[in-house]
Amino acid sequence: MLHRSAPRSFWIPRDKPYLWVALGTLLLYILPYLWLGEGAYLTIHDNLDSDFLYLRLLAHSGKAVTFDSAALLPSVMNGLPRAVLRSGLNLEVLTYALLPPYGAWLVNFALIHAIGFVGMYALLRWYILPDTSHAPIRVGVALLFALVPCYTVHGASITGQPLLLLAFLNLLNRRASWRDWLIVGLFPFYSFLVWSGLFAGLLLAGLGTLVMARRRAIVWPYVGALALLAGLYVVSEWQLLYAFVTQTYVSHRTEYDYAQLMPMTVWASLKAAFYGFIQTQYHAGAFYTPLILLSSLWVVAVGWRQRKAAVQLSAMQYQTILRLSVLIGLICLWHGFYRFPAVWAGAGSLPQAFQFDRFYFMLPFLWLLLFALSLRELVSTGWVVPSLLAGQLVVMGLANTEWRINVAKMAGVDNEATYPAYRAFFAERQFTQISNYTGLALASYRVVSVGIPPTVALYNGLYTLDSYQNNYPLPYKHLFRRVVAAELAKNTTLQTYFDYYANRCYAFSAELGLSEKDVMVSKYEQQAIQQWQLNTDVLRQLGCRYVLAGLPIRNATTQHLRLERIFSDSESYWKVYLYRIYNAR
C-alpha cells in the first residue's frame, strides 16, 4: 500500500464515464440546497443552534480577526471572550465575513464535499487502486466519501483527511512536490484542532513511526511536515491555545463531571462502542457500516482459506485489511470506555474538559478506506463489487436525513411543522418587527428566551443573556444559575445537566424539559407554561428587559412579566410572546 508508483496523470481515460456519473450525483446532492435556497432545512442540533451561529456572530462582531486576547463579544452573555470561538484565521470564518450567512454555508458545503471526492479519488488512484480495472471502485468509493453527511461547520476536518494522508504518504516515500507541502500548510486553516487536527496528527505520527522503524531510516521531510502541521495549528488556533495556557478565564468546562452525566458501567460502554462501530458518530457523519464490515470479513475469510480460493490475497494485503479493521475497533472501544479514565482523572479535569476520544472523527475515512481495500480483492467476483457499491450508496442516501427532508420539500411535501426551513427558523422579518416595536438600541437591553432557542435572537442582532456555548466563563454559569435555580430544583435531569455540563445555558422550564424538541415550541403547537419561576431580580440586574417566549406563560404576572404583544409571521416557525420584565416594588 505504501510503495505504489505514482501515476503520471491525475485522471485516467477509463475513469471518465464513472467520473461523469459521480459528478452528476454530487450535483444532485447539492441541488436541493440551491433550488430551495433559504427555504431548505438545515440540521438544527449542534449546527444552527450553535456552531453555525458562532460563525455568524464573528462575521458581525467586527472581531473575526483580532489579536486582542482580551476581546469580548458584548451581545452574548454580557461579554463572551472572543477566544472561545473559532479562529479568525480559519478559511471558513473568512467566508462568513465575506458572504451572506446562507451563501457562505452553501459555498462551504459544496467545497467541503468536493474536497472529499477529489482527495479520496487521488489517494485511491495513487496508492490503493492504481490499476485500470479498479476504475469503478476508486470513483465509487470517492463518491461515497464525498456523500458522508458530516457537519459543514467543521470545515474540511473530515473530508480533508484523504488529501492530508496522500501528502504524508508522498513525503514518506520521498516523492513529495510543492502540492503536498501546500496541502499540509492549508489543512490547519480549513479544519479545527479540537475536532480532527490533533487526532489526525497523532495517527500520522504513529504511521510514520511504524514505517520508519521498519525501514530503519528517519524520513526527515515527513518529520518536518508533522512539525509544520503542529506549528500551523498553533498559529491558526492561537487565541484558544493562548487563553488555555495563560488561563485568561476559567471555563465552565472545569465543572464537567462524566460520573454524573452518563452510566458508569461496562455494559453502557460496550453499547456505546458497538453503536459507534455499526454507525459512525453523527458529528463526523453518521452512516451504517454493516455492508463494509461484510465485505472486509469476506476478504479476511478468503485470505484465511486462500489455498482454496479463486482470489489470491497476499500477506501484505491481508495484514493491511486486518490492521485497519483492528484500528477501527480500537477507536470505537476507546470512545465507548473513555468515560472511565476521564472520571478517574476527576471532575473538571483535562480529560473531561477536552474529549480525547474524538478519534471517532477519523471513522468515516477509515471505514471507506477499508471498503476500498476490500473491494480491490473482490474485483474478479463479477456482480459482487457493483452490488456492494450500489448498496452502500443507498445506505448513504438513507443516512442523510437532512438531504432526504429537502428532497421531500422540493417534491412539495409540507414538512415545515417538523422540519423548519432556514428562513423560518431564523425568522428575520418577524424579529425585525420585534426590534422595531421595542424602539430601543439593541445594545441598551438584554433578552432571554423560553420555547425558542436563544440562537434565533442572537442571529437577529439581539443581546442575549442565555446561549448555547461549548466554552464560556465559569462565573457566568454560577451567576445564571441563580436565574433558573427554582426551575432546576423541580427537575433532577435539568439540575444534573446544568450543574455538571451546562453547554446550554438556557432559561429552562421544568415543564418543557431539556431535549431539542422540548426547548423548541413552534407556532403549530398548542402549549403553555403553567408555572415558571425565574429570578427576575437577577435578570434585571443583568440588564434583561424582555423575555421572548414561544408559548404563553400563565403565571406571568406573579413573575413580574407583562405581555406586551404577540408577534406572528407567515414565514416564521414561531409565534413570539413578548413579555416585559417590570419592577413590582
Side-chain angles (χ1 to χ4, degrees):
M1 173 180 171
L2 300 178
H3 301 282
R4 299 285 187 183
S5 298
R8 294 181 181 178
S9 61
F10 186 74
W11 308 109
I12 301 176
R14 180 165 178 176
D15 289 8
K16 286 184 178 179
Y18 303 106
L19 289 169
W20 281 115
V21 172
L23 177 61
T25 304
L26 285 174
L27 289 176
L28 287 175
Y29 184 52
I30 298 170
L31 179 61
Y33 303 97
L34 283 168
W35 184 279
L36 296 169
E38 292 189 4
Y41 167 79
L42 302 187
T43 301
I44 295 170
H45 178 70
D46 286 355
N47 186 41
L48 292 190
D49 65 357
S50 51
D51 289 283
F52 175 87
L53 174 70
Y54 307 156
L55 295 165
R56 159 83 171 182
L57 285 175
L58 287 174
H60 285 264
S61 68
K63 297 175 182 176
V65 180
T66 177
F67 296 98
D68 180 5
S69 59
L72 300 174
L73 271 67
S75 64
V76 191
M77 295 176 159
N78 268 351
L80 184 72
R82 164 65 185 86
V84 308
L85 297 179
R86 307 294 181 85
S87 167
L89 299 178
N90 188 277
L91 297 176
E92 189 169 29
V93 173
L94 294 178
T95 60
Y96 279 80
L98 297 172
L99 298 171
Y102 184 81
W105 180 90
L106 189 59
V107 166
N108 281 285
F109 178 80
L111 182 58
I112 286 164
H113 290 283
I115 288 172
F117 178 79
V118 171
M120 182 62 96
Y121 176 83
L123 177 66
L124 299 179
R125 169 77 176 93
W126 256 251
Y127 282 97
I128 315 298
L129 303 165
D131 296 340
T132 305
S133 61
H134 295 152
I137 303 177
R138 59 175 162 257
V139 176
V141 173
L143 175 62
L144 291 174
F145 184 70
L147 296 179
V148 169
C150 55
Y151 275 38
T152 303
V153 288
H154 297 151
S157 296
I158 307 298
T159 61
Q161 292 169 23
L163 267 182
L164 189 66
L165 178 58
L166 174 64
F168 273 93
L169 288 179
N170 285 337
L171 288 158
L172 195 59
N173 289 300
R174 301 183 185 276
R175 57 164 176 259
S177 70
W178 63 269
R179 296 180 187 86
D180 300 297
W181 288 103
L182 182 63
I183 290 168
V184 175
L186 288 179
F187 190 76
F189 296 97
Y190 202 36
S191 64
F192 295 96
L193 178 67
V194 298
W195 295 112
S196 71
L198 173 63
F199 309 101
L202 289 173
L203 289 180
L204 287 169
L207 173 65
T209 301
L210 289 173
V211 173
M212 286 185 279
R214 186 181 301 125
R215 296 178 184 175
R216 298 183 180 181
I218 298 176
V219 183
W220 288 111
Y222 191 93
V223 176
L226 282 173
L228 177 65
L229 186 71
L232 291 178
Y233 264 121
V234 171
V235 173
S236 69
E237 304 277 8
W238 76 270
Q239 287 166 311
L240 177 65
L241 296 173
Y242 179 83
F244 174 76
V245 171
T246 61
Q247 297 185 337
T248 54
Y249 64 92
V250 179
S251 172
H252 84 288
R253 298 174 77 94
T254 59
E255 287 191 344
Y256 277 11
D257 190 348
Y258 284 10
Q260 306 297 326
L261 295 169
M262 57 183 63
M264 295 301 299
T265 65
V266 172
W267 176 242
S269 297
L270 285 172
K271 283 202 301 184
F274 174 74
Y275 286 125
F277 190 74
I278 65 168
Q279 183 183 22
T280 53
Q281 207 269 352
Y282 66 94
H283 285 114
F287 59 89
Y288 286 104
T289 61
L291 268 180
I292 301 175
L293 183 61
L294 175 64
S295 65
S296 62
L297 288 175
W298 188 344
V299 171
V300 169
V302 166
W304 191 264
R305 302 180 290 106
Q306 62 178 337
R307 288 184 181 178
K308 300 178 181 180
V311 179
Q312 297 297 311
L313 187 65
S314 73
M316 178 176 289
Q317 293 163 348
Y318 176 80
Q319 290 173 7
T320 301
I321 291 172
L322 198 57
R323 287 170 181 170
L324 191 55
S325 302
V326 169
L327 176 60
I328 290 171
L330 289 175
I331 289 174
C332 293
L333 285 172
W334 175 239
H335 170 57
F337 283 86
Y338 179 73
R339 66 193 73 190
F340 286 103
V343 167
W344 293 336
S349 61
L350 184 60
Q352 295 205 37
F354 185 90
Q355 295 173 247
F356 287 100
D357 63 333
R358 283 182 175 155
F359 286 99
Y360 56 69
F361 268 76
M362 309 294 114
L363 288 178
F365 172 45
L366 294 178
W367 271 114
L368 288 168
L369 188 58
L370 177 63
F371 198 35
L373 288 165
S374 301
L375 294 180
R376 180 183 65 184
E377 308 308 327
L378 299 172
V379 73
S380 63
T381 56
W383 58 270
V384 174
V385 167
S387 298
L388 288 171
L389 282 170
Q392 192 60 36
L393 181 62
V394 172
V395 168
M396 289 300 187
L398 294 175
N400 198 327
T401 304
E402 180 186 278
W403 183 79
R404 289 189 290 107
I405 290 167
N406 284 313
V407 169
K409 284 180 180 288
M410 285 182 64
V413 175
D414 184 6
N415 52 21
E416 194 66 18
T418 308
Y419 304 109
Y422 174 97
R423 182 187 298 111
F425 180 80
F426 285 119
E428 291 185 72
R429 189 169 68 188
Q430 185 181 34
F431 273 74
T432 297
Q433 294 170 2
I434 294 171
S435 299
N436 292 339
Y437 174 82
T438 67
L440 301 170
L442 295 177
S444 67
Y445 66 96
R446 305 293 184 265
V447 302
V448 294
S449 302
V450 61
I452 304 172
T455 183
V456 179
L458 277 168
Y459 180 95
N460 287 288
L462 296 172
Y463 285 53
T464 73
L465 297 175
D466 48 348
S467 187
Y468 181 4
Q469 296 294 330
N470 296 315
N471 195 5
Y472 62 91
L474 179 63
Y476 189 85
K477 172 189 170 182
H478 293 165
L479 178 60
F480 199 83
R481 194 189 192 287
R482 293 171 55 196
V483 174
V484 294
E487 288 300 306
L488 299 182
K490 299 176 186 177
N491 187 313
T492 303
T493 301
L494 278 180
Q495 184 171 336
T496 299
Y497 173 86
F498 197 92
D499 288 341
Y500 302 111
Y501 196 65
N503 280 10
R504 287 179 174 84
C505 188
Y506 284 6
F508 285 115
S509 162
E511 293 176 38
L512 292 181
L514 175 62
S515 73
E516 179 182 283
K517 182 179 181 300
D518 294 333
V519 300
M520 288 177 50
V521 181
S522 74
K523 66 183 180 183
Y524 305 98
E525 302 175 61
Q526 300 297 321
Q527 291 190 59
I529 298 177
Q530 303 301 325
Q531 293 292 325
W532 197 40
Q533 293 177 271
L534 290 190
N535 191 327
T536 50
D537 289 334
V538 176
L539 282 177
R540 277 196 299 271
Q541 293 169 18
L542 291 172
C544 187
R545 185 181 292 260
Y546 294 104
V547 172
L548 305 174
L551 68 174
I553 302 170
R554 298 300 188 203
N555 67 326
T557 302
T558 62
Q559 294 302 298
H560 306 153
L561 299 175
R562 178 186 297 115
L563 180 62
E564 294 278 296
R565 184 173 167 182
I566 301 172
F567 292 85
S568 297
D569 190 275
S570 60
E571 72 174 23
S572 171
Y573 188 63
W574 320 103
K575 178 183 285 187
V576 181
Y577 296 77
L578 182 67
Y579 289 92
R580 180 165 180 169
I581 301 176
Y582 64 90
N583 193 338
R585 296 187 180 90

